[in-house]
Amino acid sequence: MNMLGSMFSTVKPRLDDLGTDRLNYYYSTLIIMGMSLTITARQYVGSPLQCWVPAQFTKAWEQYAEDYCFVYNTYWVKPNDKVPTTIEERVSQQLIYYQWAPFIMAIEAAFFYLPVIFWSMLSTKSGINIIKLVETAQKAEGAESEDRKKQIDIICRHISNNLRKRRNEEETTKMAKIQRIFGMQHGKFITNVYLVTKFIYMLNSFLQFYSTNKFLGQNDPYWGMRILDDILHGTDWEHSGNFPRIAMCDFQVRVLGNLQRHSIQCVLTLNMFNEKIFLFLYIWFLLVFFVTLFDSIFLIYNMFSSHKIVEFLQQFLDNQEADENEEKKPDDEKKKVYRKEQHAILLSEFCLHKFTPDIIILLKMINNHTGDIVCTEIVGRMWNEFLKRDAKLVLQRFVDNDHNMETKSSSLKSVQLFEEHKGLI
């Protein structure tokens, strides 16, 4: 019990998650652990199995028979059918899952938590301490003006330092090789590790769904729908055979040197719980898989679509402009110097070249745990610094490129005119 208590206290919501992550590593783990604890209490504290025994059995014999039938498998026979005469037929109809149900569920809970361990181990190697930055953002959200400015400065400085470190980093260690594999030099390390973690979540849900079917001896992937249909239409388990409450058990007793075989009938009260729990898990695994799948597709689209990246950052810049207009700051006059075309060029350069995918996903996590206010200040601060430091250079480079294209186009036209003139001569 102490071990289970420590496991429950270990599984906590994290600050470096998005979308359906918490559905996988937190809620799924806690729900399945709770189910495992419930079945364990019923199985080893209560009476998981009770058998009808011959009248000559003493209390000790009855207890022995029930313990034997619980440890070794029982087998199910329809109420109106005859008990199979051969041992092979009885073995083929054995119920082999009810003793192991709590252990299987404990393993399932552990596997739901494994992906987040992978994520936490690798994400810290990126040079961006996501959890600390999100904690700083949360402090900034509830702080006064001066304190909030200091917290925002810390976050912006950390982001800028990471961008400079990424450009200058040329390490040859084993960890550096792993970082390069995941796109560290392109600012995609966290993003790629996070997407791999998403894939592991989906793979885990699918394998758990498949392995649970095999564990229950179900060869039909739609067995959960059939059980749900039976429950809704009142079909008795005696006819369907799904999680039977009554089963048969064979055991041998040596009496005066002779083996006597007994066949007794037992009540599996555990299967009342197992039916509901495994039906819930059947639906839960499917739900978690498809929700995670759609969330991953949506994330990939938002992370690698230039339009969505600009749209994501634009919303914070719009919020900043609205706030500044209300406060009537003098800085607004400086921003109006840029024409619409120039502003579009600067915005595109800022969103698509100054922000790496790792910084975008960091902002998404900050926004997920704090709200728009903090992200508005972070993006606004970085935008203002970009305008002061890089705006003239970006616009000049654009003008130079445009001039070079015009010169090249003019040269091509001159060559074409010369060739035409030469042909006429």
Side-chain angles (χ1 to χ4, degrees), residues 316-334:
F316 300 121
L317 294 177
D318 291 342
N319 291 341
Q320 185 201 30
E321 290 181 5
D323 293 341
E324 289 179 349
N325 287 335
E326 289 179 5
E327 296 176 9
K328 296 181 180 180
K329 290 188 175 181
D331 292 343
D332 293 346
E333 297 300 322
K334 297 179 182 178

Side-chain angles (χ1 to χ4, degrees), residues 79-90:
N80 298 327
D81 291 354
K82 292 183 179 180
V83 176
T85 56
T86 64
I87 296 178
E88 290 76 14
E89 288 182 88
R90 298 182 182 187

Side-chain angles (χ1 to χ4, degrees), residues 115-155:
V116 83
I117 296 177
F118 166 84
W119 161 248
S120 63
M121 289 176 62
L122 282 185
S123 63
T124 55
K125 307 300 180 182
S126 65
I128 300 177
N129 194 328
I130 300 174
I131 293 179
K132 289 295 182 183
L133 289 177
V134 175
E135 287 177 349
T136 304
Q138 288 180 332
K139 291 177 183 177
E141 186 180 31
E144 297 296 330
S145 180
E146 288 299 319
D147 289 338
R148 178 160 56 187
K149 184 177 181 298
K150 291 179 182 178
Q151 304 294 343
I152 298 298
D153 284 340
I154 292 172
I155 297 172

